């Protein structure tokens, strides 16, 4: 067991704390909005997500008011469709996922015993992307231009510009921008959890919240890219008339459903698992004992995440799938109930093994679990194909969806707010108001949504804005509407409780619930994660190491000072959390806002087909990102090592797998490869559904694609050689080989382009030509990015920022080119040999 250093003199400890406070302080005035501090960004994220929640809630109340009585003309059919589409879109994309990104950014650093997540500027960029994209999408309804084809955007309705208008473009491009924020958050969370844990916090000692967020962030990497791939297909059809979903030209609307639900069903668990993570923190605290079955709940969470990717087709049972597909996906849909039940039973066992302290957080948490279990039972029902055929697209599905999402997500989120609010300003929310709000929400929710099961079984279809008087739905719809307003009153009371002045309330203790995990040592008025980074030896260190909180606050552990005036944290090993490096993170900067604004301008300009504005915004975004990378990453420190306390000295610079930059590149490229695999899936999907995939269209041939693949492999070898030569200190040869790599990437791209160009493949004529051009364009865009990266390394080498001992840049670029080479080889073999050789 590592022991802390001796207690500092009071004046010395106060001086260290003052230096830390100065380094981590947020700026004032306009520069306040350039903050990249995890506390501030997390609170901004959460506040914005809740504003979007209230916006979606108002839309829901308008819809329920319209459906309260038959033949109602409160709103028009078009406005109802816009409200319906935005309600689902906002709840799924602008609240459910971002709220957990917000909670993670706020809680994870102190929970892991860390100062900060590894890429705070990336977190700030993600927030601004989320905010701008959300305003763009939500604001469209005030101009009668909101999407109106449903939050799932099924073609051919959504692909027909005359029927869907510009709203579909706003949905597609706005959400693509928001998805960038989600993937950025996923990268930061995965690297932070794997590489920034406190020393000693082995992977089997992590808080369950961190385990769940790690699983969810990994799911985002595999679930969101297929939707991005689908968005690309969709927008190319709308913008350039490429026929990916047009059956008359070889396309198929079902491909969109596959890509959407490959994202859509894991999305349900991306929402649900972080809620369970909150419960995994709340239940042990109020049972005053460690969680029962730690390993079981971790395995169940992993199993839930894995199985969630095998369920997407149960949304498509009514599309005429083969019997074998129905049987497989029906069984998988029922099997996911097993790991989900394990997690619920673990909470029950923990409460039975301890002595539960009644509280408002537990009330919301248990109420949410009850509602979720009811939703799970109806989920097992709709997993059976014959029942699904009867209930599909009825209000029974609406009821099931809301029982799962509101019970599995919203109630635990409210529980988390009441539980963690003392970390914001050291004060409690009102127990009295909280209990009233709970019963209003619990009763109102069940009164609103339980009758929808019956309405659906009586045949009421989804997405209708009115109904006749003689079909037996009148009373049930009126009850649902009344319940919705009661539920809204409960949410309003929670908002009131959060916003009401609390200056007369007695300040709470630093750990008012007597919790056992490290987030409760953080001080609400400070911006660092922990005063000093501790050595952790158990899953509940505040219970098992009673003096730990005092030792951390006294600065007796690692990095108690900011001697060089820099924001610093520790990087540790993935499995055992052995200290490996002192990580210096960037401070406040305008570059994150400029990058997000310019990227958002690209998507907005594309929506309205303003091509010159698109190019200008893309140029600004490119320059901002290059500046960001040049000034904010791979910095050469003023010294090689630093003494971090407790007798430990660590390097200030590392590269390769020990570095956070290498992991960020690897994780990003995994997500990128998932999107690419989705496009390749589309290629073979078209091949399998047609007797003659090409329909007589001449392909790109074999010569040019295979030559391009060979040249890309040669460029990849040049990158590996440049990395090797740089490691040997060969300055001239390194620069020469980097330049050759750039030239080879350009020549390989030209060869790849030559095939479909030479044979005159028209992407508007048939889907075969369109998918060939798309795979080619995907590869060439990545090749251009790879060439820019090599030119960047060349420039860094000339500037003395890339050397033999400081080689992070070339190491990360080489990792990118591993994926680039695989992408090029797969692309050009697929389009060159299939179906050419057959």
């Amino acid at each position: 067991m590592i022991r802390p250093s001796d207690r500092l003199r009071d004046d010395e400890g106060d001086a260290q704390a003052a230096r830390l406070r100065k380094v981590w302080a947020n700026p004032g005035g306009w520069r306040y909005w350039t903050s990249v501090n995890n506390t501030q960004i997390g609170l901004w994220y959460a506040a914005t997500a809740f504003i979007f929640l209230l916006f979606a809630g108002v839309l829901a109340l308008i819809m329920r008011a319209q459906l309260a009585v038959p033949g109602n003309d409160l709103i028009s059919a078009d406005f109802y469709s816009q409200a319906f589409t935005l309600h689902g879109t906002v709840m799924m994309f602008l609240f459910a996922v971002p709220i957990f990104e917000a909670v993670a950014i706020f809680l994870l650093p102190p929970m892991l015993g860390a100062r900060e997540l590894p890429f705070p500027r990336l977190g700030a960029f993600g927030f601004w992307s989320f905010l701008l994209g959300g305003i763009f999408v939500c604001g469209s309804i005030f101009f009668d231009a909101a999407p109106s084809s449903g939050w799932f955007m099924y073609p051919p309705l959504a692909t027909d510009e005359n029927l869907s208008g510009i709203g579909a473009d706003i949905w597609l491009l706005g959400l693509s921008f928001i998805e960038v924020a989600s993937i950025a958050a996923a990268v930061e969370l995965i690297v932070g959890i794997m590489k920034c844990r406190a020393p000693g916090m082995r992977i089997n000692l992590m808080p369950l919240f961190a385990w769940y967020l790690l699983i969810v962030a990994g799911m985002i990497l595999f679930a969101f890219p297929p939707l991005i791939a689908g968005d690309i297909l969709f927008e190319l059809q709308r913008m350039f008339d490429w026929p990916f979903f047009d059956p008359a030209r070889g396309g198929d609307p079902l491909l969109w459903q596959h890509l959407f639900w490959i994202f859509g069903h894991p999305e349900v668990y991306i929402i649900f698992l972080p809620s369970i993570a909150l419960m995994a923190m709340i239940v042990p605290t109020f049972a005053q004992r460690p969680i029962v079955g730690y390993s079981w709940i971790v395995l169940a969470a992993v199993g839930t995440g894995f199985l969630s990717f095998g369920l997407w087709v149960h949304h498509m049972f009514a599309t005429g799938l083969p019997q074998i597909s129905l049987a497989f996906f029906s069984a998988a849909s029922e099997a996911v109930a097993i790991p989900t039940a394990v997690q619920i039973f673990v909470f029950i066992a923990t409460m039975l093994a301890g002595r539960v302290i009644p509280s408002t957080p537990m009330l919301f948490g248990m109420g949410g679990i009850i509602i979720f279990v009811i939703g799970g039972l109806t989920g097992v029902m709709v997993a059976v194909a014959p029942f699904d055929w009867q209930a599909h697209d009825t209000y029974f599905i609406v009821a099931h969806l809301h029982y799962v999402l509101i019970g599995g997500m919203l109630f635990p989120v409210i529980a988390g707010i009441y539980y963690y609010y003392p970390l914001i300003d050291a004060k409690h929310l009102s127990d009295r108001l909280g209990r009233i709000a709970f019963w209003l929400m619990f009763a109102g929710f069940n009164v609103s949504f339980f009758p929808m099961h019956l309405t659906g079984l009586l045949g009421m279809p989804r997405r209708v804005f009115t109904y006749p008087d003689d079909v037996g739905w009148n009373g049930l719809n009126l009850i649902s509407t009344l319940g919705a307003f009661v539920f809204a009153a409960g949410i309003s009371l929670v908002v009131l409780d959060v916003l009401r002045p609390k200056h007369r309330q007695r300040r709470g203790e630093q750990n008012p619930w007597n919790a056992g995990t490290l987030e409760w040592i953080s001080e609400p008025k400070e911006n660092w994660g922990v005063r000093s980074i501790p050595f952790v030896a158990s899953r509940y260190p505040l219970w098992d190491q009673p003096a730990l909180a005092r030792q951390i606050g006294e600065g007796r552990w690692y990095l108690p000072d900011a001697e060089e005036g820099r924001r610093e944290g520790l990087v540790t090993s993935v499995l055992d959390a052995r200290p490996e490096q002192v990580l210096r993170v960037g401070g406040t900067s305008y570059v994150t806002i400029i990058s997000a604004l310019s990227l958002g301008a690209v998507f907005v300009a594309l929506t309205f087909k303003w091509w010159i504005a698109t190019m200008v915004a893309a140029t600004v975004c490119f320059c901002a990102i290059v500046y960001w990378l040049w000034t904010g990453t791979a910095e050469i420190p003023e010294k090689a090592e630093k003494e971090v306390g407790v007798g430990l000295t660590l390097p200030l610079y590392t590269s390769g797998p020990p570095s956070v930059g290498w992991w960020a590149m690897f994780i990003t490229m995994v997500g990128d490869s998932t999107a690419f695999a989705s496009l390749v899936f589309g290629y073979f999907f078209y091949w399998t559904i047609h007797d003659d995939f090409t329909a007589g269209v001449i392909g790109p041939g074999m010569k040019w694609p295979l030559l391009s693949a060979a040249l890309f492999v040669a460029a990849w070898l040049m990158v590996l050689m440049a990395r090797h030569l740089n490691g040997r200190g060969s300055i001239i040869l390194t620069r020469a080989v980097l330049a050759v790599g750039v030239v080879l990437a350009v020549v390989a791209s030209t060869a790849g382009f030559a095939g479909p160009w030479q044979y005159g493949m028209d992407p508007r004529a048939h889907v075969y030509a369109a998918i060939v051009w798309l795979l080619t364009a995907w590869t060439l865009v990545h090749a251009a990015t790879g060439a820019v990266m090599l030119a960047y390394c060349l420039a860094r080498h000339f500037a003395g920022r890339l050397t033999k001992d400081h080689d992070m840049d070339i190491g990360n670029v080489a990792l990118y080119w591993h994926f680039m080479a695989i992408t090029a080889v797969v692309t050009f073999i697929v389009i060159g040999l299939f179906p050419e050789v057959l």
Side-chain angles (χ1 to χ4, degrees):
M1 175 68 179
I2 298 174
R3 298 186 180 277
S5 59
D6 293 334
R7 180 171 181 170
L8 302 167
R9 299 192 316 271
D10 288 340
D11 59 342
E12 183 181 357
D14 291 343
Q16 289 183 354
R19 283 190 291 269
L20 281 171
R21 192 171 291 112
K22 181 179 179 180
V23 167
W24 291 89
N26 285 324
W30 166 247
R31 281 187 58 81
Y32 172 81
W33 300 105
T34 67
S35 172
V36 291
N37 176 267
N38 66 282
T39 301
Q40 206 66 46
I41 294 298
L43 292 177
W44 290 350
Y45 243 126
T48 306
F50 266 96
I51 290 171
F52 287 134
L53 166 70
L54 298 178
F55 172 77
V58 170
L59 295 178
L61 293 178
I62 292 173
M63 290 189 290
R64 281 314 320 168
Q66 167 66 21
L67 294 172
V69 294
N72 201 353
D73 59 357
L74 177 66
I75 58 176
S76 67
D78 184 60
F79 184 85
Y80 183 92
S81 296
Q82 292 185 37
F84 161 76
T85 301
L86 276 188
H87 170 74
T89 297
V90 171
M91 290 301 294
M92 297 295 283
F93 295 97
L94 295 176
F95 174 70
V97 175
I99 190 62
F100 288 111
E101 293 168 353
V103 172
I105 290 172
F106 180 77
L107 285 181
L108 269 180
M111 186 180 290
L112 298 175
R115 279 274 166 73
E116 178 63 277
L117 293 174
F119 309 111
R121 289 185 178 178
L122 185 63
F125 171 79
F127 165 73
W128 289 111
S129 299
F130 158 66
L131 174 63
L132 296 171
I135 292 173
F136 179 56
V137 173
C138 294
S140 60
I141 197 169
F142 298 105
F143 300 93
D144 197 30
S148 57
S149 303
W151 70 277
F152 34 77
M153 283 286 154
Y154 284 167
L157 173 62
T159 50
D160 189 323
E161 291 192 49
N162 295 323
L163 295 175
S164 57
I166 200 172
D169 296 302
I170 291 173
W171 188 93
L172 288 163
L173 294 170
L175 288 187
S176 295
F177 186 38
I178 294 166
E179 287 153 16
V180 170
S182 296
I183 292 175
V187 171
E188 183 168 30
L189 294 180
I190 292 173
V191 179
I193 293 169
M194 296 181 72
K195 295 293 293 179
C196 294
R197 304 192 305 275
M201 188 183 283
R202 300 191 307 273
I203 200 163
N204 65 332
L205 297 182
M206 287 197 313
L208 286 172
F209 186 85
W211 262 114
Y212 274 97
L213 264 295
L214 180 63
I215 294 165
V216 166
M219 292 173 68
I220 288 174
L221 287 183
F222 290 98
F224 276 67
L227 180 60
I228 293 174
D231 287 349
I232 292 171
L233 299 176
F234 212 114
E235 196 54 40
L236 285 173
Q237 175 159 338
R238 286 184 56 88
M239 194 171 291
F240 301 113
D241 196 30
W242 291 20
F244 294 110
F245 309 114
D246 181 2
R249 292 177 287 169
D252 194 325
L254 283 184
L255 177 59
W256 169 259
Q257 290 198 36
H258 281 291
L259 293 176
F260 184 86
W261 290 116
I262 287 173
F263 148 81
H265 204 83
E267 163 84 343
V268 173
Y269 293 94
I270 288 171
I271 294 169
F272 163 66
L273 288 176
S275 305
I276 291 293
L278 284 174
M279 295 306 301
M281 308 305 291
I282 293 171
V283 169
T285 296
F286 291 105
Q288 285 295 287
R289 60 148 295 134
I291 196 83
V292 171
Y294 176 95
S295 300
W296 283 104
I297 198 170
V298 170
L299 290 173
V302 173
T304 301
F306 179 79
L307 286 174
S308 70
F309 284 91
L311 311 183
W312 85 88
V313 173
H314 83 215
H315 294 271
M316 303 171 61
F317 281 168
T319 59
L321 294 170
Q323 189 67 37
I324 185 70
S325 298
L326 294 177
F328 174 82
F329 286 100
S330 179
S333 300
E334 295 180 9
V336 78
I338 298 173
T340 304
V342 168
Q343 297 166 77
I344 303 300
F345 283 119
V346 162
F347 296 148
I348 295 172
T350 303
M351 289 187 286
L352 290 175
R355 187 172 182 179
V356 177
I357 301 170
S359 67
T360 302
M362 282 293 286
L363 191 61
F364 273 100
M366 293 303 100
I369 287 177
I370 291 170
I371 292 172
F372 177 80
V373 169
I374 296 173
L377 293 174
T378 57
V380 173
M381 294 169 66
V382 297
V384 179
F387 181 84
D388 182 80
W389 290 335
Q390 303 302 314
H392 190 76
D393 272 347
T394 71
Y395 260 75
F396 188 93
I397 303 301
V398 176
H400 159 69
L401 176 67
H402 285 82
Y403 264 85
V404 170
L405 292 183
I406 293 181
M409 183 269 291
L410 186 58
F411 275 82
V413 165
I414 305 298
I417 291 173
Y418 276 87
Y419 180 63
Y420 280 117
Y421 191 83
L423 287 179
I424 298 174
D425 67 355
K427 299 172 186 176
H428 288 276
L429 295 175
S430 167
D431 276 337
R432 181 171 175 270
L433 290 178
R435 292 172 189 274
I436 295 172
F438 167 76
W439 288 112
L440 285 173
M441 289 177 62
F442 187 81
F445 173 83
N446 284 286
V447 169
S448 179
F449 288 97
F450 193 84
M452 293 184 190
H453 294 101
L454 305 177
T455 312
L457 293 176
L458 289 173
M460 182 171 176
R462 305 167 72 177
R463 308 160 198 148
V464 293
F465 87 106
T466 190
Y467 52 92
D469 190 19
D470 56 353
V471 289
W473 306 335
N474 304 13
L476 292 172
N477 272 298
L478 181 59
I479 292 171
S480 290
T481 298
L482 294 175
F485 278 89
V486 173
F487 180 68
I491 294 179
S492 300
L493 201 57
V494 173
V495 173
L496 175 65
D497 197 8
V498 171
L499 297 180
R500 67 184 174 84
K502 304 176 185 65
H503 56 276
R504 294 182 180 177
Q505 185 173 333
R506 182 177 59 84
R507 289 179 63 85
E509 302 170 0
Q510 189 168 347
N511 184 4
W513 308 116
N514 189 30
T517 43
L518 283 177
E519 70 270 24
W520 291 100
I521 62 175
S522 64
E523 299 178 31
K525 301 303 180 183
E526 304 292 358
N527 290 316
W528 58 66
V530 290
R531 166 71 175 82
S532 58
I533 300 174
F535 182 89
V536 176
S538 75
R539 291 171 184 157
Y540 295 91
L542 297 188
W543 287 344
D544 300 333
Q545 299 169 252
L548 186 63
R550 175 177 55 79
Q551 294 167 353
I552 292 171
E554 292 172 354
R556 297 179 61 185
W557 288 101
Y558 302 103
L559 292 178
D561 201 351
E563 298 166 301
E564 296 88 7
R566 300 296 301 274
R567 298 186 177 193
E568 294 176 333
L570 290 184
V571 174
T572 54
S573 60
V574 172
L575 295 180
D576 297 328
R578 288 177 287 99
E580 294 182 331
Q581 178 201 356
V582 175
L583 175 67
R584 288 177 169 174
V585 299
T588 56
S589 173
Y590 289 107
V591 72
T592 56
I593 298 177
I594 294 171
S595 300
L597 281 173
S598 54
L599 183 59
V602 170
F603 284 99
V604 172
L606 281 173
T607 301
F608 296 99
K609 300 181 182 179
W610 299 336
W611 307 119
I612 295 177
T614 299
M615 290 186 288
V616 171
T619 302
V620 173
C621 183
F622 173 79
C623 294
I625 291 174
V626 170
Y627 175 81
W628 178 355
L629 294 173
W630 189 274
T631 59
T633 61
E635 176 188 0
I636 297 178
E638 75 282 357
K639 55 186 177 182
E641 295 181 325
K642 174 176 178 172
E643 203 280 321
V644 298
V646 200
L648 181 65
T649 300
L650 293 175
L652 287 167
Y653 188 102
T654 59
S655 60
S659 72
V660 294
W662 186 93
W663 278 95
M665 177 63 77
F666 178 80
I667 293 164
T668 301
M669 294 313 299
V670 168
D672 181 87
S673 299
T674 305
F676 171 66
S678 301
L679 297 179
V680 175
F681 167 80
Y683 186 95
F684 287 102
F685 175 83
Y686 292 127
W687 188 7
T688 57
I689 65 172
H690 295 298
D691 294 331
D692 181 9
F693 171 36
T694 65
V697 176
I698 299 175
M702 297 173 58
K703 178 181 68 174
W704 289 114
L706 296 183
L707 175 61
S708 179
L711 289 170
F712 275 118
V713 170
W716 167 62
L717 292 174
M718 290 298 103
V719 177
L720 299 185
M721 185 181 297
R723 184 181 63 179
H724 173 71
L725 291 171
N726 182 72
R728 292 178 54 186
S730 302
I731 297 175
I732 302 299
L733 285 176
T734 299
R735 294 173 180 174
V737 171
L738 284 172
V740 171
V742 173
V743 172
L744 280 174
V746 173
V747 175
S749 299
T750 304
F753 177 82
W757 178 263
Q758 177 182 350
Y759 291 100
M761 300 184 73
D762 183 0
R764 293 171 297 179
H766 192 268
V767 75
Y768 171 59
I771 195 68
V772 166
W773 268 114
L774 179 57
L775 286 173
T776 302
W778 178 274
T779 303
L780 299 191
V781 168
H782 283 70
T785 304
V788 169
M789 287 181 173
L790 292 177
Y792 177 84
C793 287
L794 190 58
R796 297 276 287 188
H797 206 278
F798 275 106
R801 293 171 179 253
L802 172 59
T803 67
K804 174 183 177 181
D805 298 319
H806 302 96
D807 59 348
M808 182 189 299
D809 293 311
I810 188 65
N812 292 350
V813 170
L815 180 60
Y816 174 90
W817 269 91
H818 295 336
F819 287 90
M820 176 65 235
I822 294 171
T823 298
V825 169
V826 170
T827 293
F828 292 115
I829 284 180
V830 166
I831 68 174
L833 299 184
F834 301 97
E836 190 77 21
V837 297
L838 300 180

